[in-house]
């Protein structure tokens, strides 16, 4: 009988076995369930999916169509101000324009005011990353090492607050709404706050800690295209200043498309406007500061209501309808193929 030690490698070392443990998990012996796809289960899956998507899509489309909305383009009506703003040397000159429109029917419920931009591309890679999230959290950071270049510091070394191309290009037109009632003009009360996302307002944006905002931003300067420093964005409400300004926060959430709208104001439901906006003649008075002619853009103001599914955007409903239609048609095609093959099989069996 041969000695067992002769089978050991030189040196007498015993190497552990590379075989897996003899367990149900490692040997892949666990019980499994494999669905048996029959023609009945396949067709029922396609038809049920199609019916569900079609029903949801129709509801979403009908809901979007029930939104009351009016859109006013003021690009051409404020052309004089636009020409003035194209010259950067006129940055400190004020320019105002007015746009009249008529509401033929009442807009009942909560009314939201949006500003819309057309042909403004916020989805460029260098534009999207041109910001400092650490600075927007109120931290003392070296923005020279951030992606804000070239909007980081001035030639004298003064840092910009906030830095980056997104902040520098913030939409800064001021839009007021007036209701023309008989011979009197009534300004529609608009809410400046509560228009940004809760997570942005309470998590992603913070002001530097100091006893007041002017001292918190001491040693910094406004971006080149701004008319006011960041701590004076809202002179009526101290809590709506600095990096916590709602208009600034809304703008910093960039859009994926070249044509987009951002929430600007909400109508405060008091007095004449307790039920919404009554029918009649209205006027937008605009302090024009945001030029768009150089990139062939357009600007407009939108007054809109919202429903349970959101605003006037039928895209999701149309997507559901298309998906439901495709699933239903696929089910009919599979059923036709099955019937055709079954007839052939019956014929050959005979």
């Amino acid at each position: 009988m041969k000695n067992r030690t002769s089978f050991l490698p030189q040196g007498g070392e015993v190497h552990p076995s590379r075989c897996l443990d003899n367990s149900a998990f490692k040997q892949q012996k666990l019980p499994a369930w494999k669905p048996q796809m029959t023609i009945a289960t396949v067709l029922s899956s396609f038809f049920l999916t199609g019916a569900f998507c079609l029903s949801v899509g129709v509801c979403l489309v009908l809901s979007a169509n029930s939104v009351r909305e009016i859109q006013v383009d003021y690009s051409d009506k404020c052309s004089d101000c636009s020409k003035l703003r194209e010259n950067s040397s006129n940055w400190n000159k004020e320019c105002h324009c007015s746009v009249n429109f008529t509401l033929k029917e009442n807009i009942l419920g909560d009314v939201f005011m949006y500003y819309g931009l057309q042909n403004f591309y916020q989805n460029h890679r260098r534009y999207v990353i041109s910001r400092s999230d650490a600075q927007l959290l109120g931290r003392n950071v070296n923005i020279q090492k951030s992606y804000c270049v070239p909007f980081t510091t001035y030639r004298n070394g003064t840092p910009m607050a906030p830095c980056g191309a997104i902040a520098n290009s913030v939409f800064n037109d001021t839009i007021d709404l007036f209701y023309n009632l008989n011979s009197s003009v009534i300004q529609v009360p608009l809410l400046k706050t509560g228009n940004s996302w809760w997570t942005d307002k309470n998590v992603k944006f913070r002001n530097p800690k100091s006893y007041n905002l002017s001292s918190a931003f001491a040693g910094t300067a406004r971006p080149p295209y701004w008319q006011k420093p960041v701590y004076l964005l809202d002179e009526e409400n101290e809590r709506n200043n600095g990096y916590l300004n709602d208009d600034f926060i809304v703008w910093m959430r960039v859009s994926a498309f070249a044509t987009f709208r951002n929430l600007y104001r909400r109508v405060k439901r008091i007095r004449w406007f307790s039920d919404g906006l009554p029918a009649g003649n209205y006027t937008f008075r605009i302090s024009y500061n945001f030029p768009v002619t150089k990139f062939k853009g357009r600007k407009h103001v939108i007054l809109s209501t919202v429903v349970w599914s959101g605003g006037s955007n039928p895209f999701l409903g149309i997507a559901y309808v298309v998906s439901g239609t495709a699933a239903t048609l696929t089910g009919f095609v599979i059923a036709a193929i099955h019937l055709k093959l079954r007839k052939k099989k019956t014929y050959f069996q005979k």
Side-chain angles (χ1 to χ4, degrees), residues 63-242:
S63 175
N65 291 336
S66 66
V67 173
R68 294 291 312 280
E69 180 178 297
I70 181 171
Q71 181 170 310
V72 178
D73 191 315
Y74 65 96
S75 304
D76 297 331
K77 296 180 180 179
C78 298
S79 58
D80 293 338
C81 290
S82 178
K83 294 177 182 178
L84 179 71
R85 284 288 174 259
E86 290 300 332
N87 189 348
S88 59
S89 61
N90 298 325
W91 67 270
N92 59 345
K93 296 181 180 179
E94 293 185 0
C95 189
H96 301 273
C97 58
S98 299
V99 180
N100 299 319
F101 67 97
T102 302
L103 286 182
K104 297 181 180 180
E105 298 178 357
N106 297 337
I107 300 181
L108 302 178
D110 294 328
V111 182
F112 299 82
M113 180 189 293
Y114 301 83
Y115 63 84
L117 289 177
Q118 184 177 344
N119 206 37
F120 189 93
Y121 290 84
Q122 286 189 312
N123 55 4
H124 193 281
R125 185 185 65 86
R126 292 190 62 186
Y127 181 87
V128 171
I129 65 175
S130 184
R131 58 188 293 165
S132 173
D133 291 323
Q135 184 194 46
L136 297 176
L137 283 171
R139 299 173 184 171
N140 187 12
V141 294
N142 184 8
I143 59 175
Q144 290 283 12
K145 298 181 180 180
S146 66
Y147 292 106
C148 290
V149 178
F151 301 100
T152 53
T153 60
Y154 287 93
R155 293 182 180 180
N156 59 2
T158 304
M160 299 181 189
C163 70
I166 306 177
N168 182 60
S169 61
V170 68
F171 183 86
N172 55 354
D173 282 1
T174 302
I175 306 171
D176 294 316
L177 179 61
F178 292 87
Y179 177 44
N180 303 316
L181 180 62
N182 299 326
S183 59
S184 59
V185 179
I186 304 169
Q187 184 171 5
V188 180
L190 302 174
L191 297 174
K192 297 181 179 180
T193 58
N195 302 322
S196 59
W197 290 19
W198 185 92
T199 51
D200 289 347
K201 188 81 170 183
N202 297 276
V203 178
K204 297 180 64 176
F205 292 82
R206 287 284 187 275
N207 282 326
K209 293 183 179 179
S210 182
Y211 63 92
N212 59 44
L213 278 183
S214 60
S215 61
F217 289 99
T220 64
R222 57 176 176 80
Y225 290 174
W226 286 30
Q227 295 178 324
K228 298 179 180 179
V230 66
Y231 53 87
L232 290 178
L233 293 179
D234 189 350
E235 299 180 6
E236 299 177 358
N237 186 357
E238 294 182 357
R239 296 182 179 181
N240 192 35
N241 267 316

Side-chain angles (χ1 to χ4, degrees), residues 17-73:
S17 175
R18 295 184 179 179
C19 296
L20 297 175
D21 295 337
N22 189 21
S23 63
F25 177 74
K26 293 187 176 180
Q27 296 298 332
Q28 299 184 10
K29 296 180 181 179
L30 292 173
W33 175 74
K34 183 178 180 181
Q36 298 295 327
M37 302 301 293
T38 63
I39 187 63
T41 56
V42 171
L43 289 180
S44 60
S45 299
F46 276 100
F47 286 131
L48 287 175
T49 302
F52 173 77
C53 291
L54 284 173
S55 59
V56 173
V58 170
C59 291
L60 290 174
V61 170
L62 293 176
S63 175
N65 291 336
S66 66
V67 173
R68 294 291 312 280
E69 180 178 297
I70 181 171
Q71 181 170 310
V72 178
D73 191 315

Side-chain angles (χ1 to χ4, degrees), residues 46-57 317-332:
F46 276 100
F47 286 131
L48 287 175
T49 302
F52 173 77
C53 291
L54 284 173
S55 59
V56 173
I318 294 174
Y320 267 102
V321 171
V322 172
S323 301
T325 304
T328 305
L329 290 177
T330 304
F332 281 115

